[in-house]
C-alpha cells in the first residue's frame, strides 16, 4: 500500500497519517533551501516504510524546486547516504 505524504507548508513539515497516527519530517527554511531537522514516526508505525516515504517525498520536493538540502536530522542523513541519488550540501 502506498503511503500518501502531504506538504504542510504552514507547519514546515511533510506529513502522513497512517492507522490514525501522524508521522512527519520537520524542516527549517534556509536561503535557497531546506534544513531537515527532525523525523518523527510513532512507534506503532516504525518498520513499515513510513519514515522512508516521508524522506523520499521531502527530498523529491527539494530536488524538484532545485533547493539546497541540509540534513541535520540523522534519519534524513542516513536516507541520503543509503540512496546515493540524493546529493548533500
Amino acid at each position: 500500500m502506498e503511503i500518501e505524504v502531504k506538504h504542510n507548508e504552514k507547519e514546515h513539515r511533510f506529513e502522513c497519517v497512517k492507522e490514525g497516527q501522524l508521522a512527519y519530517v520537520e524542516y527549517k527554511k534556509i536561503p535557497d533551501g531546506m534544513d531537515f531537522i527532525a523525523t518523527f514516526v510513532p512507534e506503532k508505525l516504525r518498520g513499515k516504510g513510513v519514515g522512508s516515504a516521508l524522506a523520499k517525498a521531502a527530498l523529491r520536493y527539494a530536488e524538484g524546486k532545485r533547493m539546497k538540502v541540509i540534513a541535520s536530522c540523522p534519519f534524513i542523513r542516513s536516507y541520503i547516504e543509503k540512496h546515493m541519488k540524493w546529493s548533500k550540501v
Side-chain angles (χ1 to χ4, degrees):
M1 177 181 260
E2 190 171 324
I3 298 169
E4 183 181 350
V5 177
K6 295 184 180 183
H7 184 191
N8 182 339
E9 291 185 65
K10 183 179 176 185
E11 297 292 329
H12 298 256
R13 62 190 188 191
F14 291 84
E15 55 190 32
C16 73
V17 176
K18 185 172 179 175
E19 298 177 23
Q21 298 200 15
L22 176 68
Y24 59 86
V25 170
E26 188 175 15
Y27 66 88
K28 289 189 309 188
K29 290 182 180 180
I30 59 169
D32 301 321
M34 305 171 117
D35 179 1
F36 296 104
I37 57 174
T39 300
F40 174 74
V41 177
E43 193 169 331
K44 182 179 177 182
L45 299 179
R46 293 179 189 164
K48 297 182 179 183
V50 174
S52 292
L54 289 165
K56 185 176 181 179
L59 292 166
R60 277 194 174 162
Y61 176 86
E63 181 182 53
K65 299 282 187 181
R66 299 183 185 266
M67 302 173 101
K68 292 180 187 176
V69 169
I70 297 176
S72 294
C73 169
F75 182 84
I76 299 294
R77 190 168 41 252
S78 174
Y79 185 90
I80 290 169
E81 289 169 0
K82 289 177 186 173
H83 302 84
M84 298 302 283
K85 177 182 173 187
W86 307 106
S87 61
K88 291 191 277 185
V89 173

